[in-house]
Amino acid sequence: MKRPSARAAHALEIVLARLLADPGEVEAFLSDREGYCRAHELSAPDRAALKTMDAEQLRFSALCYARKRRAQRAPGGGH
C-alpha cells in the first residue's frame, strides 16, 4: 500500500481543520466540492474521499467545534 507524501497529508489536514473551524468554510466547500479541493491542491484520492463526506454531519461538526471554542473563550471557560 502506497503511503501519502507528507505534503499531501499536510494539505488534507489543513483542509479538514479549516472545515471544522469555520461553518462558512463548510458552506464554501459544499457549494463546489471539486473546486474547493482543487483550490487547496488536494490529491485525487483525497478529493474523492472528501467529496463523499456527509453534508449534515460536516455542518454539525463545525457548529459543535464553534460552540466549544466560544465556551472556552467565555469568562471561566475552558475548565
Side-chain angles (χ1 to χ4, degrees):
M1 186 163 129
K2 186 176 179 183
R3 295 184 64 191
S5 71
R7 181 175 179 204
H10 185 66
L12 180 59
E13 290 172 7
I14 289 171
V15 168
L16 290 172
R18 286 180 178 179
L19 291 174
L20 293 175
D22 183 355
E25 202 72 18
V26 170
E27 295 308 318
F29 167 72
L30 293 174
S31 70
D32 180 10
R33 292 178 187 229
E34 181 66 24
Y36 186 93
C37 289
R38 285 187 184 275
H40 289 86
E41 301 179 0
L42 295 180
S43 67
D46 288 344
R47 288 193 312 267
L50 281 181
K51 290 191 298 186
T52 66
M53 292 179 77
D54 180 79
E56 292 308 311
Q57 289 286 337
L58 191 54
R59 287 180 176 121
F60 178 75
S61 296
L63 288 172
C64 287
Y65 281 111
R67 258 189 241 127
K68 184 176 181 178
R69 283 189 306 279
R70 279 193 303 273
Q72 289 175 338
R73 286 191 295 247
H79 297 286

